[in-house]
């Protein structure tokens, strides 16, 4: 094969790979929307392929089956959150401010990404049986827990934080305040007789969570 033909072959391969990736990404975007709206059981392959302007067979080609696609969706939403959290990277040398930043990020991310919470609700209804099949599942919280660990270690070394706290426990505490406030905001607004979605309520909850967590970690 001549050099010119080799170059054309390489370019052709690159174009096909880009097209394949574009198709796969389009299916994932469509699946995220469909599963968030209809749940796992109601999110049919037909609805997803129609929204993606693709074909059912392409879903089976790239993801194997509906469950494989749902697992890929769960991996994708966790990966995007991890990437967003990595970008803000608070300075652990100032542990108090770093912890405040970590809390604000989590509260804000859950509030701004309701589909993330909806998809987690769906998977919890299925007792985590899909995400448990993902080889990447252990990675999902490792970045956040490691960040909390660095902040706690820095605070303890400066005599500001307790040294007997488990990073995982503090991570769960922060996540629970973000998750519950978003996932139950409509029912709790009705029960409490006040909107939890108003800017004032959101700001008050953020301040309360920060104050509560700092009281827990204080030496």
């Amino acid at each position: 094969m001549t050099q010119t033909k080799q170059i054309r072959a390489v370019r052709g391969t690159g174009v096909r790979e880009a097209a394949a990736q574009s198709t796969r990404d389009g299916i994932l975007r469509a699946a995220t929307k469909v599963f968030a709206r209809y749940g796992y059981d109601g999110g049919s392959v037909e609805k997803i392929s129609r929204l993606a302007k693709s074909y059912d067979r392409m879903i089976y080609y790239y993801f194997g089956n509906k469950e494989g696609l749902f697992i890929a969706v769960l991996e994708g939403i966790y990966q995007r959150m991890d990437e967003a959290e990595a970008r803000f990277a608070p300075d652990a040398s100032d542990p108090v401010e770093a912890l405040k930043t970590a809390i604000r990020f989590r509260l804000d991310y859950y509030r701004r990404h309701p589909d993330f919470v909806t998809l987690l609700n769906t998977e919890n209804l299925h007792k985590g049986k899909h995400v448990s099949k993902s080889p990447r599942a252990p990675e999902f919280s490792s970045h956040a827990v490691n960040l909390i660990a660095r902040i706690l270690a820095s605070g303890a070394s400066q005599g500001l934080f307790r040294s007997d706290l488990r990073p995982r426990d503090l991570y769960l505490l922060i996540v629970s305040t973000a998750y519950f406030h978003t996932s139950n905001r409509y029912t709790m607004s009705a029960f409490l007789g006040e909107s939890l979605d108003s800017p004032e309520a959101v700001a008050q909850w953020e301040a309360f969570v920060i104050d509560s967590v700092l009281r827990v970690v204080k030496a």
Side-chain angles (χ1 to χ4, degrees), residues 1-13:
M1 181 182 295
T2 65
Q3 184 176 8
T4 300
K5 289 182 178 179
Q6 288 177 336
I7 292 173
R8 288 175 179 171
V10 171
R11 287 177 177 171
T13 301

Side-chain angles (χ1 to χ4, degrees), residues 72-85:
V73 166
L74 294 175
E75 290 175 341
I77 63 172
Y78 272 111
Q79 180 177 334
R80 287 191 289 277
M81 184 179 67
D82 280 352
E83 291 172 349
E85 191 166 36

Side-chain angles (χ1 to χ4, degrees), residues 107-160:
L107 292 170
D108 183 71
Y109 192 90
Y110 278 48
R111 188 169 59 251
R112 292 181 182 274
H113 298 83
D115 283 358
F116 178 84
V117 175
T118 301
L119 287 164
L120 294 187
N121 286 342
T122 295
E123 180 60 357
N124 277 299
L125 287 173
H126 287 84
K127 300 182 179 180
K129 71 176 184 180
H130 304 109
V131 74
S132 64
K133 297 177 183 178
S134 168
R136 298 178 58 195
E139 303 173 13
F140 293 150
S141 62
S142 61
H143 172 80
V145 174
N146 289 338
L147 173 63
I148 295 297
R150 292 196 300 273
I151 294 173
L152 284 177
S154 176
S157 69
Q158 297 179 44
L160 299 172

Side-chain angles (χ1 to χ4, degrees), residues 3 5 16-17 35-36 60 71 75 80 96 110 119 133 136 155 173 176 179 203 206 209:
Q3 184 176 8
K5 289 182 178 179
R16 287 193 296 274
E17 289 177 351
F35 285 133
Y60 296 114
I71 291 171
E75 290 175 341
R80 287 191 289 277
V96 173
Y110 278 48
L119 287 164
K133 297 177 183 178
R136 298 178 58 195
L173 174 60
S176 67
Y179 186 89
E206 179 183 283
V209 172

